[in-house]
Amino acid sequence: MSKHRWQRFGMAAAALGLALLHGGGTAVAGPDGITIGVLNDQSGPYADITGQGSVIAARMAVEDFGGRVLGKPVKLIFADHQQKPDVANTIARKWLDADKVDLIVDVPNSGILLAVQEIVRNTSGILIAAGGGTSRFTSEACSPYGFMWVYDSYALANSMGRAVTAQGGKSWFFLPVDYAWGEALSADLSAAVQASGGTVTGSVKTPLNTADYSSFLLRAQASKADVVALLNAGADTINSVKQANEFGIVSGGQRLATGLFYLNDARSVGLDTAQGLLVADGYYWDQTSETRAWAERFQKRHNGRMPSSIQMGVYSAVLHYLKSVAAAGSDNRDDIARKIRELPVRDAIVPDGRVREDGIMLHDILLLQVKTPAESTGEWDLFKIVKTTPGSQAFRPLEQSKCPMIKRP
């Protein structure tokens, strides 16, 4: 397939928007057009995996779509929530009330994501999660206007937990970060491990953005568990993996697993330290010819950096949102939300996805393994794909969801 197939996605999407505009006669956006807000961590532990990279990815989606929808311009803004719920809530309320933002996207930090979900539900606009991953977002806390685009804690735990347990990791010790993401991942991983015949021997919460994991790692080491699970993300994962290596967790016979370990993390830690680590994720830049071509474009715009899975998800989410606005023929959020669920998700990142009624975008979840130095062929050649789990098997079955929007028999 041609390296430049991604161009046809944007051209087709733009054509769809123009066709609706000129064919329907009543397809209009608000007086200021459509405004998209990227809300994420621009300066803290998740800045590398979201931050300006997510803004660039969103801008690429807008440009590929044609920059306009329903005859009006698409405006892109961004803000730093600083990992503080009160800051994030203030930004979200201002965006929705004063700035008339139509879409909020990204939102790493699951506690913040759940708070913004309620603001959007009760105010206006649509929310698409790329960074935040608590499975509660589309279960107990689901909303007609909230969508999950990259992964959730259930899908990651289900894929990674079952695989590692099947490989002999029968006893586990958890080190979850102390906020909603760690809590959700801990619960979902525990269920996956136990369903696979394993046991959880202990668990200790760790502070967000801490520099010292020594006391936590010593407790995990003393447990003699087969697997030590670092249930955090971003800079916290980098620090804990490095310190686990210094304490000899792996050399002492225990295995190390993570809830999330991004491309940027592997590059920062180094293959000598991280090699062999098994992780689950939604996307990887070297997955297909289309993802490679898109990643090369992104790399040129982001100081030579390849995209994280979150940044790839932001691109797909924004592009699908704009297609849905065009298909809806208006900026009414109920019409747009309906089209988000109706339209297939097809772009350079997601070849064949679909959005369930609970807001989960079903797509493959990848089980990745960090390469050895000998296996790597370049600076960003850091993972190999060990297993691909279809979305229908990776994500929580719809009948097990607690989302009140699901129609029960």
Side-chain angles (χ1 to χ4, degrees), residues 217 237-247 268-270 273:
L217 290 168
T237 306
I238 292 172
N239 289 336
S240 54
V241 169
K242 286 180 177 178
Q243 291 177 38
N245 183 64
E246 293 169 1
F247 277 91
S268 178
V269 171
T273 299

Side-chain angles (χ1 to χ4, degrees), residues 18-51:
L18 290 172
L20 286 168
L21 173 63
H22 295 297
T26 59
V28 295
D32 298 320
I34 293 292
T35 300
I36 297 171
V38 179
L39 179 61
N40 64 18
D41 183 352
Q42 295 278 321
S43 57
Y46 302 158
D48 282 347
I49 56 178
T50 62

Side-chain angles (χ1 to χ4, degrees), residues 61 144 259 325:
V325 173

Side-chain angles (χ1 to χ4, degrees), residues 9 25 33 52 66 74 113 130 142-143 159 185 187-188 195 268 277 307 336-337 346 351:
F9 290 118
Q52 277 298 303
V74 179
L113 177 65
C142 72
S143 163
S159 302
L185 190 58
D188 291 330
S268 178
L277 190 65
I336 296 169
R346 295 191 180 121

Side-chain angles (χ1 to χ4, degrees), residues 38-59 76-81 83 105-108 131 264 298 302 308 310-311 314:
V38 179
L39 179 61
N40 64 18
D41 183 352
Q42 295 278 321
S43 57
Y46 302 158
D48 282 347
I49 56 178
T50 62
Q52 277 298 303
S54 289
V55 177
I56 290 170
R59 187 172 293 118
L76 183 67
I77 62 176
F78 65 90
D80 184 355
H81 63 38
Q83 299 292 341
V105 67
D106 202 355
V107 200
N264 316 62
F298 176 93
H302 194 40
S308 70
I310 291 176
Q311 292 156 351
V314 167

Side-chain angles (χ1 to χ4, degrees), residues 145-175:
Y145 313 110
F147 301 91
M148 182 71 74
W149 221 256
V150 180
Y151 52 70
D152 69 11
S153 54
Y154 182 95
L156 296 182
N158 188 42
S159 302
M160 186 265 287
R162 289 178 181 271
V164 176
T165 302
Q167 292 178 358
K170 297 300 183 181
S171 60
W172 293 63
F173 193 95
F174 291 177
L175 296 178

Side-chain angles (χ1 to χ4, degrees), residues 107-122:
V107 200
N109 187 310
S110 290
I112 289 175
L113 177 65
L114 292 172
V116 174
Q117 172 93 308
E118 296 311 305
I119 294 172
V120 169
R121 184 203 308 274
N122 297 313

